[in-house]
Short mmCIF file of all heavy atoms in Angstrom, two decimals:
data_model
loop_
_atom_site.label_atom_id
_atom_site.label_comp_id
_atom_site.label_asym_id
_atom_site.label_seq_id
_atom_site.Cartn_x
_atom_site.Cartn_y
_atom_site.Cartn_z
N GLY C 66 7.60 -25.59 -44.31
CA GLY C 66 7.43 -24.18 -44.38
C GLY C 66 8.63 -23.46 -43.83
O GLY C 66 9.30 -23.90 -42.92
N ALA C 67 8.93 -22.29 -44.40
CA ALA C 67 10.10 -21.53 -43.98
C ALA C 67 9.77 -20.80 -42.68
O ALA C 67 8.65 -20.47 -42.45
CB ALA C 67 10.51 -20.53 -45.05
N GLN C 68 10.78 -20.61 -41.89
CA GLN C 68 10.56 -19.93 -40.64
C GLN C 68 11.20 -18.57 -40.66
O GLN C 68 12.38 -18.44 -41.04
CB GLN C 68 11.14 -20.74 -39.51
CG GLN C 68 10.79 -20.14 -38.17
CD GLN C 68 11.45 -20.90 -37.04
OE1 GLN C 68 11.94 -21.94 -37.25
NE2 GLN C 68 11.34 -20.32 -35.88
N ARG C 69 10.50 -17.56 -40.27
CA ARG C 69 11.10 -16.21 -40.17
C ARG C 69 10.95 -15.76 -38.73
O ARG C 69 9.87 -15.35 -38.34
CB ARG C 69 10.38 -15.20 -41.07
CG ARG C 69 10.23 -15.65 -42.49
CD ARG C 69 11.44 -15.16 -43.33
NE ARG C 69 11.62 -15.97 -44.53
CZ ARG C 69 10.85 -15.82 -45.60
NH1 ARG C 69 9.95 -14.93 -45.66
NH2 ARG C 69 11.06 -16.62 -46.67
N GLY C 70 11.96 -15.92 -37.98
CA GLY C 70 11.86 -15.49 -36.55
C GLY C 70 11.29 -16.53 -35.71
O GLY C 70 10.65 -17.45 -36.19
N VAL C 71 11.53 -16.39 -34.42
CA VAL C 71 11.09 -17.42 -33.49
C VAL C 71 9.59 -17.52 -33.44
O VAL C 71 8.90 -16.55 -33.24
CB VAL C 71 11.64 -17.10 -32.07
CG1 VAL C 71 11.04 -18.01 -31.05
CG2 VAL C 71 13.15 -17.22 -32.06
N GLY C 72 9.10 -18.70 -33.71
CA GLY C 72 7.65 -18.96 -33.53
C GLY C 72 6.79 -18.49 -34.69
O GLY C 72 5.57 -18.71 -34.64
N ILE C 73 7.36 -17.78 -35.65
CA ILE C 73 6.50 -17.27 -36.73
C ILE C 73 6.82 -18.06 -37.98
O ILE C 73 7.94 -18.07 -38.51
CB ILE C 73 6.75 -15.79 -36.97
CG1 ILE C 73 6.51 -14.98 -35.69
CG2 ILE C 73 5.84 -15.27 -38.10
CD1 ILE C 73 7.18 -13.67 -35.69
N GLN C 74 5.82 -18.73 -38.48
CA GLN C 74 6.09 -19.45 -39.73
C GLN C 74 5.35 -18.81 -40.86
O GLN C 74 4.18 -18.44 -40.74
CB GLN C 74 5.58 -20.91 -39.58
CG GLN C 74 6.56 -21.77 -38.83
CD GLN C 74 5.96 -23.10 -38.60
OE1 GLN C 74 5.24 -23.26 -37.59
NE2 GLN C 74 6.18 -24.04 -39.45
N VAL C 75 6.03 -18.72 -41.97
CA VAL C 75 5.39 -18.14 -43.14
C VAL C 75 5.11 -19.31 -44.05
O VAL C 75 5.85 -20.34 -44.13
CB VAL C 75 6.32 -17.12 -43.86
CG1 VAL C 75 5.67 -16.58 -45.09
CG2 VAL C 75 6.66 -16.02 -42.90
N SER C 76 4.04 -19.32 -44.79
CA SER C 76 3.60 -20.39 -45.66
C SER C 76 3.62 -21.71 -44.91
O SER C 76 4.15 -22.72 -45.39
CB SER C 76 4.51 -20.47 -46.93
OG SER C 76 5.76 -20.97 -46.65
N SER C 77 2.99 -21.76 -43.76
CA SER C 77 3.02 -22.98 -42.99
C SER C 77 1.76 -23.80 -43.18
O SER C 77 1.62 -24.89 -42.69
CB SER C 77 3.16 -22.68 -41.47
OG SER C 77 2.02 -22.00 -41.08
N GLY C 78 0.82 -23.26 -43.97
CA GLY C 78 -0.42 -24.05 -44.21
C GLY C 78 -0.04 -25.34 -44.86
O GLY C 78 0.81 -25.41 -45.76
N ARG C 79 -0.69 -26.41 -44.39
CA ARG C 79 -0.25 -27.69 -44.92
C ARG C 79 -0.57 -27.88 -46.38
O ARG C 79 0.01 -28.64 -47.08
CB ARG C 79 -0.87 -28.82 -44.11
CG ARG C 79 -0.18 -28.91 -42.76
CD ARG C 79 -0.75 -30.05 -41.97
NE ARG C 79 -0.65 -29.71 -40.52
CZ ARG C 79 -1.63 -29.18 -39.88
NH1 ARG C 79 -2.81 -28.95 -40.45
NH2 ARG C 79 -1.49 -28.90 -38.62
N GLY C 80 -1.61 -27.10 -46.87
CA GLY C 80 -1.91 -27.20 -48.27
C GLY C 80 -0.82 -26.72 -49.16
O GLY C 80 -0.55 -27.26 -50.25
N SER C 81 -0.07 -25.68 -48.69
CA SER C 81 0.93 -25.10 -49.56
C SER C 81 2.28 -25.70 -49.32
O SER C 81 3.10 -25.76 -50.20
CB SER C 81 0.95 -23.59 -49.40
OG SER C 81 1.23 -23.30 -48.09
N ALA C 82 2.56 -26.05 -48.07
CA ALA C 82 3.89 -26.55 -47.79
C ALA C 82 3.84 -28.04 -47.43
O ALA C 82 3.57 -28.43 -46.30
CB ALA C 82 4.47 -25.77 -46.63
N THR C 83 4.03 -28.81 -48.41
CA THR C 83 3.97 -30.27 -48.15
C THR C 83 5.34 -30.87 -48.42
O THR C 83 5.51 -31.77 -49.20
CB THR C 83 2.94 -30.91 -49.09
OG1 THR C 83 3.32 -30.56 -50.45
CG2 THR C 83 1.60 -30.38 -48.85
N THR C 84 6.35 -30.21 -47.79
CA THR C 84 7.71 -30.50 -48.21
C THR C 84 8.36 -31.69 -47.45
O THR C 84 9.41 -32.15 -47.85
CB THR C 84 8.59 -29.25 -47.96
OG1 THR C 84 8.40 -28.85 -46.62
CG2 THR C 84 8.19 -28.16 -48.92
N LEU C 85 7.75 -32.06 -46.35
CA LEU C 85 8.33 -33.18 -45.61
C LEU C 85 7.63 -34.50 -45.97
O LEU C 85 6.39 -34.57 -46.00
CB LEU C 85 8.21 -32.96 -44.09
CG LEU C 85 9.05 -31.78 -43.52
CD1 LEU C 85 8.79 -31.62 -42.03
CD2 LEU C 85 10.54 -32.02 -43.82
N THR C 86 8.46 -35.49 -46.16
CA THR C 86 7.88 -36.80 -46.57
C THR C 86 8.42 -37.91 -45.66
O THR C 86 9.36 -37.73 -44.91
CB THR C 86 8.31 -37.12 -48.01
OG1 THR C 86 9.76 -37.18 -48.07
CG2 THR C 86 7.83 -36.08 -48.99
N ASN C 87 7.81 -39.07 -45.84
CA ASN C 87 8.24 -40.25 -45.10
C ASN C 87 9.70 -40.54 -45.36
O ASN C 87 10.45 -40.97 -44.46
CB ASN C 87 7.44 -41.45 -45.51
CG ASN C 87 5.98 -41.39 -45.01
OD1 ASN C 87 5.66 -40.47 -44.22
ND2 ASN C 87 5.11 -42.25 -45.49
N GLU C 88 10.12 -40.29 -46.61
CA GLU C 88 11.51 -40.57 -46.97
C GLU C 88 12.49 -39.70 -46.21
O GLU C 88 13.57 -40.12 -45.86
CB GLU C 88 11.72 -40.39 -48.50
CG GLU C 88 11.09 -41.50 -49.32
CD GLU C 88 9.56 -41.36 -49.39
OE1 GLU C 88 9.05 -40.19 -49.36
OE2 GLU C 88 8.87 -42.40 -49.49
N ASP C 89 12.05 -38.41 -46.02
CA ASP C 89 12.93 -37.51 -45.21
C ASP C 89 13.13 -38.08 -43.82
O ASP C 89 14.26 -38.13 -43.30
CB ASP C 89 12.27 -36.15 -45.06
CG ASP C 89 12.30 -35.37 -46.37
OD1 ASP C 89 13.24 -35.62 -47.15
OD2 ASP C 89 11.43 -34.54 -46.60
N ALA C 90 12.04 -38.61 -43.22
CA ALA C 90 12.13 -39.16 -41.88
C ALA C 90 13.06 -40.36 -41.86
O ALA C 90 13.93 -40.47 -40.97
CB ALA C 90 10.72 -39.54 -41.42
N THR C 91 12.96 -41.25 -42.83
CA THR C 91 13.79 -42.43 -42.92
C THR C 91 15.24 -42.01 -43.05
O THR C 91 16.14 -42.57 -42.43
CB THR C 91 13.38 -43.30 -44.06
OG1 THR C 91 11.92 -43.35 -44.11
CG2 THR C 91 13.93 -44.74 -43.98
N ALA C 92 15.51 -41.03 -43.92
CA ALA C 92 16.87 -40.56 -44.18
C ALA C 92 17.48 -40.00 -42.90
O ALA C 92 18.66 -40.23 -42.62
CB ALA C 92 16.88 -39.53 -45.27
N ILE C 93 16.68 -39.26 -42.10
CA ILE C 93 17.22 -38.69 -40.90
C ILE C 93 17.59 -39.85 -39.92
O ILE C 93 18.66 -39.89 -39.31
CB ILE C 93 16.19 -37.74 -40.22
CG1 ILE C 93 16.09 -36.48 -41.02
CG2 ILE C 93 16.62 -37.41 -38.78
CD1 ILE C 93 14.86 -35.61 -40.66
N GLU C 94 16.72 -40.78 -39.82
CA GLU C 94 16.93 -41.91 -38.92
C GLU C 94 18.21 -42.65 -39.28
O GLU C 94 18.99 -43.05 -38.39
CB GLU C 94 15.72 -42.87 -38.97
CG GLU C 94 15.68 -43.79 -37.81
CD GLU C 94 14.28 -44.43 -37.63
OE1 GLU C 94 13.46 -44.29 -38.60
OE2 GLU C 94 14.04 -45.05 -36.62
N GLN C 95 18.44 -42.81 -40.60
CA GLN C 95 19.59 -43.59 -41.02
C GLN C 95 20.85 -42.76 -41.17
O GLN C 95 21.95 -43.28 -40.92
CB GLN C 95 19.28 -44.26 -42.37
CG GLN C 95 18.27 -45.40 -42.18
CD GLN C 95 17.61 -45.84 -43.46
OE1 GLN C 95 17.90 -45.29 -44.53
NE2 GLN C 95 16.80 -46.89 -43.44
N GLY C 96 20.74 -41.50 -41.53
CA GLY C 96 21.93 -40.73 -41.93
C GLY C 96 22.44 -39.77 -40.87
O GLY C 96 23.48 -39.17 -41.08
N VAL C 97 21.77 -39.58 -39.77
CA VAL C 97 22.21 -38.57 -38.78
C VAL C 97 22.63 -39.30 -37.53
O VAL C 97 21.90 -40.16 -36.99
CB VAL C 97 21.08 -37.55 -38.47
CG1 VAL C 97 21.52 -36.59 -37.40
CG2 VAL C 97 20.67 -36.82 -39.74
N GLY C 98 23.86 -38.93 -37.03
CA GLY C 98 24.31 -39.51 -35.82
C GLY C 98 23.78 -38.86 -34.58
O GLY C 98 23.36 -37.67 -34.66
N GLY C 99 23.74 -39.53 -33.46
CA GLY C 99 23.28 -38.92 -32.23
C GLY C 99 21.81 -38.89 -32.08
O GLY C 99 21.30 -38.18 -31.22
N VAL C 100 21.11 -39.61 -32.94
CA VAL C 100 19.66 -39.58 -32.90
C VAL C 100 19.18 -40.83 -32.12
O VAL C 100 19.56 -41.98 -32.43
CB VAL C 100 19.03 -39.54 -34.27
CG1 VAL C 100 17.57 -39.82 -34.25
CG2 VAL C 100 19.35 -38.20 -34.90
N GLN C 101 18.34 -40.60 -31.15
CA GLN C 101 17.77 -41.71 -30.38
C GLN C 101 16.59 -42.30 -31.12
O GLN C 101 16.51 -43.54 -31.32
CB GLN C 101 17.28 -41.22 -29.00
CG GLN C 101 16.68 -42.23 -28.11
CD GLN C 101 17.78 -42.84 -27.24
OE1 GLN C 101 18.81 -42.25 -27.02
NE2 GLN C 101 17.50 -44.09 -26.80
N ALA C 102 15.69 -41.46 -31.59
CA ALA C 102 14.52 -41.96 -32.29
C ALA C 102 13.92 -40.83 -33.15
O ALA C 102 14.14 -39.67 -32.89
CB ALA C 102 13.47 -42.42 -31.27
N VAL C 103 13.26 -41.27 -34.18
CA VAL C 103 12.62 -40.27 -35.08
C VAL C 103 11.15 -40.64 -35.20
O VAL C 103 10.82 -41.83 -35.40
CB VAL C 103 13.30 -40.33 -36.50
CG1 VAL C 103 12.55 -39.40 -37.46
CG2 VAL C 103 14.75 -39.90 -36.44
N ALA C 104 10.30 -39.64 -35.06
CA ALA C 104 8.90 -39.91 -35.08
C ALA C 104 8.19 -38.94 -36.06
O ALA C 104 7.95 -37.81 -35.70
CB ALA C 104 8.28 -39.77 -33.69
N PRO C 105 7.92 -39.39 -37.28
CA PRO C 105 7.18 -38.54 -38.25
C PRO C 105 5.68 -38.60 -37.82
O PRO C 105 5.22 -39.60 -37.28
CB PRO C 105 7.43 -39.23 -39.55
CG PRO C 105 7.65 -40.61 -39.21
CD PRO C 105 8.28 -40.72 -37.85
N ASP C 106 4.99 -37.55 -38.05
CA ASP C 106 3.56 -37.62 -37.81
C ASP C 106 2.80 -36.67 -38.71
O ASP C 106 3.37 -35.69 -39.22
CB ASP C 106 3.23 -37.35 -36.34
CG ASP C 106 3.23 -35.88 -35.94
OD1 ASP C 106 4.39 -35.36 -35.90
OD2 ASP C 106 2.20 -35.34 -35.71
N LEU C 107 1.53 -36.94 -38.85
CA LEU C 107 0.63 -36.12 -39.68
C LEU C 107 -0.57 -35.83 -38.84
O LEU C 107 -1.34 -36.75 -38.42
CB LEU C 107 0.25 -36.89 -40.93
CG LEU C 107 -0.81 -36.27 -41.83
CD1 LEU C 107 -0.44 -34.83 -42.25
CD2 LEU C 107 -1.08 -37.10 -43.06
#
Side-chain angles (χ1 to χ4, degrees):
Chain C
Q68 187 184 350
R69 308 269 158 79
V71 171
I73 303 158
Q74 278 172 275
V75 180
S76 72
S77 65
R79 286 183 210 94
S81 60
T83 58
T84 53
L85 291 179
T86 60
N87 291 350
E88 288 72 33
D89 288 332
T91 318
I93 290 167
E94 198 164 10
Q95 289 165 356
V97 177
V100 169
Q101 181 89 23
V103 175
D106 78 289
L107 173 56

